[in-house]
Amino acid sequence: QVQLVESGGGLVQAGGSLRLSCAAAGRTFSSYTMGWFRQAPGKEREFVAAISRSGLTPLYADSVKGRFSISRDNAKNTVYLQMNSLKPEDTAVYYCAGSKSFSTANYDYWGQGTQVTVSS
């Protein structure tokens, strides 16, 4: 089992940047694909980005390509989401998640979420 804790959310103006972190408890972090999802008020949760177990292969939703960057440090059991050129529509609760497969769905473990608010 993997326990995930996100941090780094906050309030930022449009065009600004934030870096989210997700720390994992457990010795098997490197065996999981890690992903980031978000859920805005009144909307369904959506995929944002994922990164392979090795950290070599990222995957992004079209809405964040070129603005967001996912990375991981397996020695620190941490995955990151660097968010640049933020837009008001990026406002959401952001969740990190772990999966045994490399995909945009079927994630088994979830964090509690961190709020990101982008003001116009």
Side-chain angles (χ1 to χ4, degrees):
Q1 190 170 356
V2 178
Q3 294 178 322
L4 304 172
V5 178
E6 303 94 336
S7 62
L11 174 64
V12 64
Q13 288 188 332
S17 298
L18 280 174
R19 189 174 84 152
L20 305 183
S21 299
C22 174
R27 294 176 290 179
T28 59
F29 176 77
S30 61
S31 66
Y32 291 90
T33 290
M34 297 303 297
W36 286 96
F37 292 76
R38 67 187 181 187
Q39 187 167 20
K43 295 187 177 182
E44 294 187 353
R45 186 171 58 196
E46 64 174 358
F47 169 79
V48 174
I51 191 163
S52 61
R53 291 174 292 179
S54 66
L56 295 179
T57 305
L59 182 65
Y60 299 99
D62 288 343
S63 59
V64 306
K65 278 181 182 176
R67 299 189 299 122
F68 290 11
S69 177
I70 188 171
S71 61
R72 67 190 295 164
D73 186 335
N74 286 341
K76 295 182 178 180
N77 282 10
T78 302
V79 61
Y80 305 97
L81 185 68
Q82 177 67 43
M83 305 185 295
N84 299 326
S85 302
L86 282 161
K87 304 175 181 179
E89 51 263 44
D90 294 318
T91 295
V93 178
Y94 283 72
Y95 300 89
C96 74
S99 173
K100 280 293 191 180
S101 61
F102 185 65
S103 73
T104 62
N106 302 316
Y107 281 71
D108 304 300
Y109 303 105
W110 294 85
Q112 83 290 348
T114 186
Q115 176 71 46
V116 172
T117 303
V118 184
S119 63
S120 57

